[in-house]
Amino acid sequence: MGIMYYILSPFSWVLNLFYSLTQNYGVSLLLFAVVVKLILFPFSIKGKRGMIQMNMLSGKMQQLQKQYGKNPERYNQEMQKLYEKENVNPMSGCMWSLLPLCILIPLYAIIREPLHYMMGLTTDQIAQVAQVLDWQNVAVANGWATAAQVADGFTSAGYNQLFLSSLIHEGNVESIRQALEGAGNVFAINFEFLGLNLALVPTWKIWENFSMMNLGLLILVLVSVASGLVMMLVTTKTNQLNQNQPQNEQAKRTNRTMMIISPLMSLWIGFIMPAGLCLYWIANNLLSMVQEFVAGRILKKDYEAARIAAEQQEKEAREEEKRRKAEAAQERAHRLEEEKKNRGKKKPVKKKEEE
């Protein structure tokens, strides 16, 4: 077992616990998504607080940019002094925001590899299970794979473990345990959820082998993509409302790009990974929308303080601009007065001596 197995073991126990209670893989995934979101919620709050602190310093940072922008070394020194004075870590917002993503990516392995994480089997033992189940003939007979696709043999990575797990049932589980000589904790998993087999990989070519199952899996992928797009819209909108700040042009371009790229990536991944992952994404997207509203309520005072600070900085900036303009006008008036005085002075005329 690799180190990731032991790192992810607590999450595996949670998923196993939910399955033992519900006896349904789909319901277990939904409950699992809730627990993961609750665990990562404090980190999301920290990330948002870090971003609020950085937004509160934006006015002072712009002022330093104007003063020392042409001197990068001095500018960096002054920025560091500002961070120390305000007790702000410039990386806190990004760090706490990226941490949930760094945790979520390995968690997908638990969903994709139930034989390894839920049943505790090694790669060699998984190959034994594949041999006992005669997976090649089953896959070809059911149209889940072609003879060419199974020719290279079974691999434990990716969606293959979900497919293999779906072939385990009460009628063959005992023979598998005997072949493994009691190793691991092999059991039959119920992948049926709302009439769909979550262990199968959706296909967009439903006309080649049309069935209600393939149609349902296709709809699941589309719902996953749509929920991700709505989640991005909700997150962007709530951030704008809470921060009460208009987006600059660069931020708008970035959001527009993400609105195009993210759904396309979700669509592509949805057709190469098992349907169980799509169900998890849908749950995660819906929970993320709820999280945005809850975080907005929790951080209401922080956002209000940020708005007050932004208004104060704007007021100070206007006053500073007025003072600067007044000083410039006073300087011009003084210069004009000096020039006028100089023009009024007559130069002494030297009388020519008569010869």
Side-chain angles (χ1 to χ4, degrees), residues 259-272:
M259 290 295 179
I260 298 173
I261 295 177
S262 183
L264 291 177
M265 289 186 61
S266 298
L267 191 65
W268 175 67
I269 295 174
F271 288 119
I272 64 172

Side-chain angles (χ1 to χ4, degrees), residues 4 7-8 100-112 117:
M4 287 304 300
I7 293 176
L8 297 177
L101 182 62
C102 295
I103 296 176
L104 280 174
I105 291 176
L107 283 180
Y108 291 144
I110 297 176
I111 300 171
R112 294 167 50 227
Y117 289 100

Side-chain angles (χ1 to χ4, degrees), residues 140 145-152:
V140 174
T146 65
Q149 289 173 326
V150 303
D152 293 334

Side-chain angles (χ1 to χ4, degrees), residues 180-339:
L180 296 177
E181 299 180 351
N185 178 32
V186 180
F187 58 94
I189 300 178
N190 177 18
F191 287 102
E192 295 295 322
F193 182 77
L194 300 178
L196 302 177
N197 186 347
L198 298 180
L200 298 182
V201 178
T203 176
W204 58 275
K205 299 180 180 180
I206 59 174
W207 60 86
E208 293 183 352
N209 185 20
F210 183 81
S211 66
M212 295 305 296
M213 175 71 74
N214 285 336
L215 178 60
L217 294 176
L218 173 62
I219 293 174
L220 192 67
V221 173
L222 297 179
V223 171
S224 173
V225 173
S227 65
L229 183 59
V230 173
M231 186 267 292
M232 290 180 62
L233 292 171
V234 169
T235 301
T236 301
K237 191 65 176 178
T238 52
N239 285 339
Q240 289 178 358
L241 291 175
N242 288 329
Q243 296 176 14
N244 195 28
Q245 291 182 349
Q247 285 188 323
N248 56 40
E249 191 58 34
Q250 182 179 358
K252 290 181 179 179
R253 286 197 300 269
T254 302
N255 284 335
R256 283 195 295 265
T257 302
M258 290 300 297
M259 290 295 179
I260 298 173
I261 295 177
S262 183
L264 291 177
M265 289 186 61
S266 298
L267 191 65
W268 175 67
I269 295 174
F271 288 119
I272 64 172
M273 299 297 290
L277 195 59
C278 288
L279 180 64
Y280 182 80
W281 281 344
I282 293 171
N284 187 66
N285 291 334
L286 295 177
L287 290 170
S288 295
M289 295 181 214
V290 175
Q291 175 182 278
E292 286 299 315
F293 290 112
V294 175
R297 298 295 297 273
I298 293 176
L299 299 173
K300 186 176 180 179
K301 292 183 178 179
D302 297 81
Y303 284 123
E304 185 63 27
R307 278 194 289 268
I308 294 174
E311 291 173 359
Q312 182 64 28
Q313 289 177 6
E314 187 177 353
K315 181 181 178 181
E316 291 176 355
R318 286 197 301 266
E319 292 176 352
E320 176 65 21
E321 184 66 15
K322 287 181 180 179
R323 185 188 63 80
R324 188 186 64 79
K325 288 182 178 179
E327 290 180 351
Q330 186 177 5
E331 179 66 23
R332 285 196 300 270
H334 179 71
R335 190 167 56 250
L336 291 172
E337 184 67 23
E338 288 293 328
E339 292 176 357

Side-chain angles (χ1 to χ4, degrees), residues 37-155:
K37 186 61 71 174
L38 289 175
I39 292 174
L40 299 181
F41 183 67
F43 301 113
S44 298
I45 292 293
K46 283 182 175 292
K48 288 181 178 295
R49 281 207 170 101
M51 296 303 296
I52 291 172
Q53 289 178 326
M54 291 300 295
N55 287 336
M56 292 175 68
L57 293 181
S58 60
K60 295 180 180 179
M61 292 166 64
Q62 290 175 4
Q63 186 177 356
L64 291 178
Q65 177 67 32
K66 292 179 181 179
Q67 289 180 326
Y68 308 108
K70 296 181 180 180
N71 187 345
E73 184 177 354
R74 178 67 185 278
Y75 172 71
N76 291 330
Q77 292 175 354
E78 294 298 325
M79 285 290 291
Q80 189 61 38
K81 291 179 182 178
L82 177 63
Y83 292 144
E84 292 176 357
K85 179 182 177 182
E86 301 293 339
N87 194 25
V88 172
N89 182 356
M91 297 300 296
S92 61
C94 296
M95 179 180 67
W96 292 114
S97 298
L98 291 175
L99 184 58
L101 182 62
C102 295
I103 296 176
L104 280 174
I105 291 176
L107 283 180
Y108 291 144
I110 297 176
I111 300 171
R112 294 167 50 227
E113 303 178 41
L115 291 175
H116 184 56
Y117 289 100
M118 293 182 68
M119 303 184 192
L121 301 182
T122 64
T123 302
D124 292 337
Q125 291 167 344
I126 293 172
Q128 284 183 273
V129 174
Q131 185 177 2
V132 172
L133 292 175
D134 191 21
W135 73 278
Q136 297 99 325
N137 292 330
V138 174
V140 174
N142 287 276
W144 295 331
T146 65
Q149 289 173 326
V150 303
D152 293 334
F154 181 84
T155 57

